[in-house]
Amino acid sequence: MFSVTENMRAIVYRSYGEPEVLELADVPRPRPLAHEVLVRVEAAGINPPDWKLRRVPYPPDYTEPPLTPGWDVSGVVEEVGEYVGRFKPGDEVFGMLNFPRYAGAYAEYVVARPRQFALKPAGITHVQAAALPMSALTVWQGFTDIADVSPGQRVLVHAAAGGVGHLAVQLAKLRGAYVIGTARAAKHEFVRGLGADEVIDYTAVDFASAVSEVDVVVDIVGGDYPARSLPLIRPGGAFIAVSGVTPADVEAFTAAGVRHGVFVVEPDHAGLAAVAALAAEGSMNVHVDRVFPLAEAAKAHALIESGDFVGKLVLEI
């Protein structure tokens, strides 16, 4: 068992604000309780909630800084609590921890309940595995809980070159759907390479006039996208709202008979295992655009806020 005085490196922010508030610091290394595992982190995935909650506190669970961002990790089990039988020291694992509560993934070590991890997919790196959990689980749970995508359906994926979007395109194609993606023109080749049947440049064309008769919409954008997408959805179709909807949107979807959900991804061992199987066989490939060392977390946050990338960004510990 580690002593409470042992430290580790982690990214912390002591106040809310711009990326520059992120700094590398020595903090106490966590100790696993009897029902937890301690994982030595090899890589940490970066997701939009990381920077959004760096700017403002998470309202239902306000916690005073200093805080360490991040939820997605891939690494090696270092120690297990006495009641843990799922993993053993030396196992390579990946997972999304505790979301939406703070998990502190931008660090050399993390602790969490074992069901928040799964064995790392065989044949991919820790960097690739760290890019998967939150984005892939969002798609998996959305297609399971809200829209059971099936062969022959038409699926519209907004922001199809992004972290969630590029995996949604792949999973929809795996399920036999006809997939339409929205993305800037510079990202069209990337989205087509994922298997998209059509790609629309939302900066040049109004997607609402270019698309019709879809069964499922995956929306990562929010704003006016739910209202603009509703007329495109066939009766009985579904809208997966990753970025939320307004009360007026909910009323409109309900009146139109469209299944919808304000979707918040959650830790899910079974979902992680399913994603790991797809990644191991090459059916779901996560694209990592840039890898940053832990000390450059501020640069990584500036880039993810800019949107000037495709797929995912990852910190290598």
Side-chain angles (χ1 to χ4, degrees), residues 43-99:
I46 301 174
N47 296 287
D50 300 9
W51 68 262
K52 292 178 181 179
L53 301 188
R54 186 208 70 234
R55 286 186 171 277
V56 293
Y58 185 68
D61 185 30
Y62 179 76
T63 304
E64 285 285 348
L67 295 166
T68 293
W71 287 274
D72 280 358
V73 300
S74 183
V76 180
V77 174
E78 186 92 355
E79 185 180 349
V80 299
E82 60 183 303
Y83 300 144
V84 174
R86 184 177 296 275
F87 300 113
K88 64 184 185 304
D91 284 344
E92 294 187 317
V93 296
F94 77 128
M96 182 188 75
L97 316 181
N98 299 326
F99 189 79

Side-chain angles (χ1 to χ4, degrees), residues 56 65 76-77 181 220 222 245 263 282 287 298:
V56 293
V76 180
V77 174
I220 304 100
V245 291
F263 185 77
H287 178 85

Side-chain angles (χ1 to χ4, degrees), residues 16 67 72 90 99-100 110 142 152 164 192 195:
Y16 295 99
L67 295 166
D72 280 358
F99 189 79
V110 293
V164 171
R192 288 194 184 95

Side-chain angles (χ1 to χ4, degrees), residues 157-162 165-170 173 179-200 287 309-311:
V157 179
H158 290 307
H166 87 291
L167 298 177
V169 170
Q170 293 178 66
K173 288 301 296 181
V179 180
I180 307 161
T182 64
R184 292 180 179 273
K187 301 178 181 180
H188 281 200
E189 183 178 355
F190 172 72
V191 177
R192 288 194 184 95
L194 301 170
D197 299 284
E198 295 181 38
V199 190
I200 297 169
H287 178 85
F309 66 99
V310 295

Side-chain angles (χ1 to χ4, degrees), residues 1 5-6 17 22 41 64 66 68 93 110 136 164 186 191-193 215-216 228 251 260 281 290 292 295 306 311:
M1 184 67 69
T5 57
E6 279 196 86
L22 299 177
V41 180
E64 285 285 348
T68 293
V93 296
V110 293
V164 171
V191 177
R192 288 194 184 95
D215 299 283
V216 178
R228 292 167 63 196
E251 184 177 345
H260 60 279
E281 70 186 25
R290 291 276 301 277
F292 294 84
S306 76

